[in-house]
Amino acid sequence: MSTSDWMPGVANPWTRFALIVVIALAVAGLLRRVVNAVLRRFAIHHPMGASIIRRANAPMEAIVPLAMLLVAFRAAPDEPARLVRVLEHVVGVALIVAVTWFIVRCIGALEAAVTRFNPIDLEDNLRARRLQTQVRVLSRTAMVVVVVLGTAVVLMTFPGVRQFGASLLASAGLAGLAVGLAAKPVLGNLIAGIQIALTQPIRIDDVVIVEGEWGRVAEITSTYVVVKIWDERRMIVPLQYFIENPFQNWTRTSSQILGSVLLWFDYGLPLEPLRGELERLCKNAAEWDGRVMVLQVVDSNDKAMQVRALVSSADSGKSFDLRCKVREGLIAFVRREFPTFLPRYRADLDATEPVVPLPR
């Protein structure tokens, strides 16, 4: 059934086409209002869905009219055919771009919603860090894949580009190999990102030792990881590094950690008063979590003995502060109560040997 059959009073084909376009846009506006009403009702009962709807609203405003315009172009006049094909192609490309934009915004909204409902500024944030890491890495990877696919679909709508690509694939073996080698780091980091999201050797806010530097994982992108060093520096590390190289993760399963303080004292120092002072220091320190408090002699030489105080804390930051408090407190205690037992050099003098006067 042609448009002239259900618009018999309109003889001019371009006039009929213009009316069809107006009707399509009106239907698109009505459909958009209905969809908005349904989505708003859905958002009332689903807070996470509300975040996705809010972010995806802008591309949705373009998708519905473009889709209706593409349908309306089926009723376009046959002449001039070139102009009609160009307009239809432009609308089709715009629709592909809008759909790609819509999917990317939905992925970003999902990531933001997970981050919002799983904050990491809590005492026990292991589950939140695990979820944030998985969603952040997978969402960035998905965004890259969606953009690449959208670009490929747009390019495939141009016959000249499609033919050029086919001839290039047929005749460029060495060039293809060179491109593959050049893209190896990018693809390697992309695959490493998926591995990190699934196996999670690192997570957001993990405490790690990388290249001898202590820091926290501040950001994980699709290609690199930002480690915030303790002195406010930022270390940028490729994702592949955490797959191919060993590193320390102090919060892999728990943030609890043991800290040690090593001190040298004279052999004559009694240990029981020192253990009592360690107990007093730990009980008065807010950083001590009450799990471990041990004082042991771990080494000795011909001059002194080495004493180790082993204490526990809830995380590495508190452990550092607690170690400093214990170290300062034990040194002050020994200086105050047993000053003669601090490490010192000794020499034995034999009184039976004659004293030889120095020459003048």
Side-chain angles (χ1 to χ4, degrees):
M1 183 177 179
S2 63
T3 56
S4 59
D5 295 333
W6 54 280
M7 285 187 178
V10 182
N12 191 315
W14 282 103
T15 304
R16 288 197 300 269
F17 176 62
L19 290 175
I20 293 173
V21 169
V22 172
I23 293 173
L25 292 177
V27 172
L30 180 62
L31 184 61
R32 189 70 186 95
R33 288 177 178 272
V34 173
V35 172
N36 273 336
V38 173
L39 292 179
R40 278 198 300 268
R41 178 167 295 185
F42 172 79
I44 294 175
H45 304 286
H46 299 81
M48 186 175 294
S51 175
I52 298 176
I53 293 168
R54 185 170 56 255
R55 290 204 175 199
N57 185 64
M60 276 293 294
E61 295 288 349
I63 289 176
V64 177
L66 288 173
M68 295 303 297
L69 281 177
L70 202 59
V71 173
F73 266 101
R74 299 300 178 183
D78 296 333
E79 296 295 338
R82 181 177 178 83
L83 177 61
V84 173
R85 286 198 301 269
V86 169
L87 291 176
E88 187 174 5
H89 185 230
V90 170
V91 174
V93 169
L95 181 60
I96 295 171
V97 173
V99 171
T100 304
W101 181 25
F102 173 75
I103 297 175
V104 170
R105 292 297 293 269
C106 286
I107 295 173
L110 180 62
E111 176 191 343
V114 173
T115 302
R116 177 186 174 187
F117 289 102
N118 295 275
I120 60 176
D121 54 348
L122 303 174
E123 187 70 23
D124 185 10
N125 60 0
L126 182 61
R127 178 178 177 275
R129 291 189 290 112
R130 181 173 65 249
L131 287 175
Q132 283 202 24
T133 301
Q134 286 181 332
V135 172
R136 188 167 299 186
V137 176
L138 291 177
S139 65
R140 303 294 169 82
T141 305
M143 286 181 185
V144 172
V145 172
V146 169
V147 171
V148 170
L149 290 178
T151 305
V153 172
V154 169
L155 293 177
M156 291 300 289
T157 62
F158 295 91
V161 175
R162 184 167 58 243
Q163 293 172 3
F164 175 75
S167 62
L168 185 64
L169 290 175
S171 61
L174 292 178
L177 180 61
V179 171
L181 292 175
K184 182 180 177 182
V186 178
L187 296 177
N189 280 321
L190 192 64
I191 296 173
I194 297 175
Q195 288 180 276
I196 287 175
L198 296 178
T199 61
Q200 293 200 339
I202 56 171
R203 293 177 294 264
I204 299 296
D205 205 43
D206 265 346
V207 176
V208 295
I209 305 292
V210 180
E211 298 293 322
E213 297 281 4
W214 183 98
R216 291 183 179 271
V217 177
E219 184 180 358
I220 301 178
T221 70
S222 58
T223 55
Y224 61 86
V225 176
V226 179
V227 179
K228 182 180 179 182
I229 310 301
W230 65 273
D231 57 1
E232 302 296 332
R233 289 177 294 152
R234 301 297 191 276
M235 178 182 289
I236 310 300
V237 187
L239 281 175
Q240 279 184 288
Y241 179 92
F242 294 96
I243 301 298
E244 299 175 351
N245 299 283
F247 64 95
Q248 295 184 39
N249 187 337
W250 288 10
T251 54
R252 179 69 178 87
T253 57
S254 172
S255 61
Q256 294 177 338
I257 193 170
L258 298 179
S260 61
V261 176
L262 299 176
L263 297 170
W264 289 94
F265 293 119
D266 186 81
Y267 282 107
L269 177 68
L271 295 180
E272 288 307 317
L274 199 62
R275 287 193 175 96
E277 179 64 12
L278 174 63
E279 182 177 358
R280 188 190 68 81
L281 291 171
C282 289
K283 289 183 177 180
N284 292 335
E287 295 83 1
W288 185 56
D289 62 2
R291 292 186 300 117
V292 178
M293 178 187 59
V294 178
L295 183 74
Q296 297 171 314
V297 177
V298 294
D299 197 5
S300 61
N301 56 27
D302 58 338
K303 299 179 179 65
M305 61 179 178
Q306 188 179 49
V307 177
R308 183 186 70 177
L310 192 64
V311 291
S312 60
S313 299
D315 56 57
S316 56
K318 293 179 180 179
S319 177
F320 181 83
D321 294 337
L322 179 61
R323 288 163 56 202
C324 292
K325 286 184 178 180
V326 168
R327 185 181 297 109
E328 294 170 3
L330 292 181
I331 291 176
F333 174 77
V334 174
R335 289 182 60 187
R336 183 177 66 253
E337 301 295 335
F338 305 97
T340 59
F341 295 129
L342 291 171
R344 57 184 177 179
Y345 289 102
R346 288 184 173 85
D348 292 331
L349 297 177
D350 191 350
T352 61
E353 294 183 0
V355 178
V356 179
L358 294 176
R360 294 183 178 180

